[in-house]
Amino acid sequence: MVELKFFEPKDLSELDYELDDIQSQYSALPKQALERIEARNQNEDFFAYPVTIFYYEKIAGFCVLDFGNDKFEMTDNSSSVLLRALSVNPEFQGKGIGKSMMVILDDFVKDHDKDCNEIVLAVNENNHLAFQIYLKAEYVFNGKRINGRNGPQLVMSKSLD
C-alpha cells in the first residue's frame, strides 16, 4: 500500500538514498530538492511542498509539489501544480510504487488544494520507463518540449476536473 504525506524532518535519514548514474540524470535526490526548497524559502518563495512516499508504512520515495511560478514554463494554468523531483529509493523499486503514487497523487493534491485542477510535469525524453508510467496514469503529452538540465524534457499534464 502506497501513501503520501507531507515531508517531516524525521523522514530525512531514510530519504538519504542514492540513485544509479542513469536515474540521477532524471531526478534530483530528496536532499538536493530540500536544499533548493530551503533556498527558495529564504527568498520568501514558500510555494514548494516536499512529499514523502510511504510503502507499507516504510519511507520509499519522495517528490515535490510546486505551486510557484516555475510551472508557467509548462502551462498557462494558474490553478495547476508542478510535480518535480520524483524518485523511489532503489531498495523499493520494481514494486509498482511509482505507478501507485501517480494514481493516488490526484486525490492527495485535491485534498490539500481544492482549487488545483491540473498536475504538470516534465520528463526527460530518454526516460522511457517514467514516460510510460505517466501515460498509464492518464497524463497527456501535448507535444510541448522544454530544455532541462540534462536534455530535452517532454511536458505532460493531467486534468483533475
Side-chain angles (χ1 to χ4, degrees):
M1 179 174 135
V2 175
E3 186 179 8
L4 303 176
K5 296 180 183 177
F6 286 109
F7 169 82
E8 295 182 29
K10 67 181 175 64
D11 300 342
L12 186 58
S13 64
E14 293 183 61
L15 288 169
D16 194 20
Y17 52 81
E18 295 293 324
L19 298 173
D20 66 28
D21 290 343
I22 294 171
Q23 291 176 346
S24 63
Q25 294 176 49
Y26 302 141
S27 181
L29 290 168
K31 200 172 198 177
Q32 295 167 321
L34 290 166
E35 288 169 359
R36 290 179 189 147
I37 289 171
E38 183 58 33
R40 288 174 63 176
N41 289 349
Q42 297 300 317
N43 293 320
E44 297 189 17
D45 177 354
F46 300 107
F47 299 107
Y49 300 93
V51 176
T52 304
I53 303 167
F54 289 83
Y55 180 68
Y56 290 101
E57 300 181 18
K58 293 184 179 176
I59 294 174
F62 180 85
C63 68
V64 174
L65 296 175
D66 189 343
F67 291 88
N69 291 333
D70 287 356
K71 66 186 174 192
F72 292 119
E73 186 176 6
M74 294 172 234
T75 183
D76 295 331
N77 182 356
S78 61
S79 297
S80 66
V81 63
L82 170 61
L83 173 65
R84 59 186 346 164
L86 171 60
S87 66
V88 174
N89 183 330
E91 291 180 26
F92 291 90
Q93 291 178 9
K95 300 178 186 302
I97 295 169
K99 191 182 305 180
S100 295
M101 180 273 185
M102 295 306 295
V103 170
I104 66 172
L105 181 63
D106 302 1
D107 287 336
F108 184 81
V109 169
K110 290 299 284 179
D111 287 347
H112 295 287
D113 186 337
K114 304 243 183 278
D115 295 328
C116 185
N117 60 20
E118 179 186 40
I119 301 173
V120 295
L121 60 85
V123 58
N124 188 289
E125 71 177 3
N126 294 319
N127 193 349
H128 305 290
L129 177 61
F131 184 79
Q132 291 303 315
I133 289 171
Y134 300 142
L135 284 176
K136 287 178 184 171
E138 301 178 2
Y139 282 74
V140 176
F141 171 56
N142 64 6
K144 184 171 183 173
R145 297 171 187 265
I146 60 171
N147 291 322
R149 68 182 192 331
N150 288 314
Q153 307 282 310
L154 309 176
V155 175
M156 300 183 81
S157 64
K158 182 176 187 179
S159 173
L160 296 180
D161 287 334

